[in-house]
Amino acid sequence: MRVPASANRWTAADLDHLPENGLRYEVLNGQLIVNAVPTPIHQLLVMRLGSILEIAVPEGYFVLPGVGVLIGEDEPIPDLVVGIGNIPLDAHGIPAAQIQLAVEVVSRSTAAMDRRIKPDLYAEGGIPNYWWLETSRFKGQLPGEELPVLVADALTEEGEYEQIARCPAGRVATLNLPFDITLDPADLLP
């Protein structure tokens, strides 16, 4: 495996030199993060949410799963993005300025990154909306709250995310991005 140009810090450009071996490579805060391929339930949730978003997005928007987002020299890979404008189909990543929503499906192995590290990076990149889906019992889960739980954050003027909605399975919610979307997280399950 090729080492980064700077021995102390990985960049998005360094990802171009890594093997295509089924692993998922991201650069977060200059660190190379390697994850295994997601589980089938994880991918099913991403696919179903992507389908719901695809129906709701106005013309000029796109919905893509698992594509890199360029934030400075970092390149995190959200599970799903909604963006605006045209993107070159052969591009390695999408500039954060085009992304309107980043979504993560929280797995046990990625929980700390999905709840703390990635939201800070997405906020730094100016991404206006961040959602995450809790799929397993989690600290802070409310009594009677059915899984999955969708938590929706919006970027404040201070550049930090603020929770605007918390939607457990079985409760229909209408959320506003630059467009309205109504969903029940229970519909994401088989």
Side-chain angles (χ1 to χ4, degrees):
M1 180 183 294
R2 183 175 184 265
V3 296
S6 166
N8 297 329
R9 184 167 178 79
W10 286 82
T11 68
D14 293 321
L15 296 178
D16 291 335
H17 306 287
L18 295 177
E20 292 186 22
N21 57 8
L23 295 174
R24 188 170 169 170
Y25 298 102
E26 302 176 84
V27 176
L28 304 177
N29 298 318
Q31 304 256 340
L32 179 66
I33 307 297
V34 183
N35 288 308
V37 175
T39 62
I41 189 68
H42 180 280
Q43 293 303 81
L44 183 65
L45 289 166
V46 170
M47 183 183 73
R48 288 188 172 181
L49 180 57
S51 294
I52 291 168
L53 288 167
E54 187 69 41
I55 291 167
V57 297
E59 190 172 328
Y61 285 79
F62 59 84
V63 178
L64 287 174
V67 65
V69 175
L70 302 172
I71 302 172
E73 292 187 335
D74 289 322
E75 187 175 347
I77 302 174
D79 289 318
L80 195 62
V81 295
V82 174
I84 192 164
N86 295 320
I87 55 168
L89 296 179
D90 60 348
H92 185 69
I94 300 170
Q98 287 185 257
I99 305 301
Q100 299 298 301
L101 169 66
V103 179
E104 296 289 354
V105 176
V106 178
S107 303
R108 285 188 173 103
S109 63
T110 63
M113 280 190 297
D114 294 343
R115 292 183 192 133
R116 291 189 288 275
I117 296 169
K118 284 187 171 184
D120 287 347
L121 194 53
Y122 297 151
E124 180 183 313
I127 297 172
N129 298 280
Y130 175 63
W131 294 358
W132 77 93
L133 278 162
E134 294 285 355
T135 59
S136 303
R137 294 258 169 242
F138 62 99
K139 184 179 179 179
Q141 185 173 354
L142 302 175
E145 209 171 39
E146 296 293 324
L147 297 170
V149 174
L150 172 68
V151 180
D153 290 348
L155 197 61
T156 65
E157 288 182 14
E158 292 77 31
E160 296 177 357
Y161 285 119
E162 178 178 83
Q163 185 174 311
I164 58 169
R166 182 180 175 124
C167 313
R171 190 174 90 204
V172 176
T174 298
L175 302 167
N176 182 280
L177 298 161
F179 54 90
D180 289 336
I181 182 166
T182 300
L183 64 101
D184 177 348
D187 294 339
L188 304 176
L189 295 174

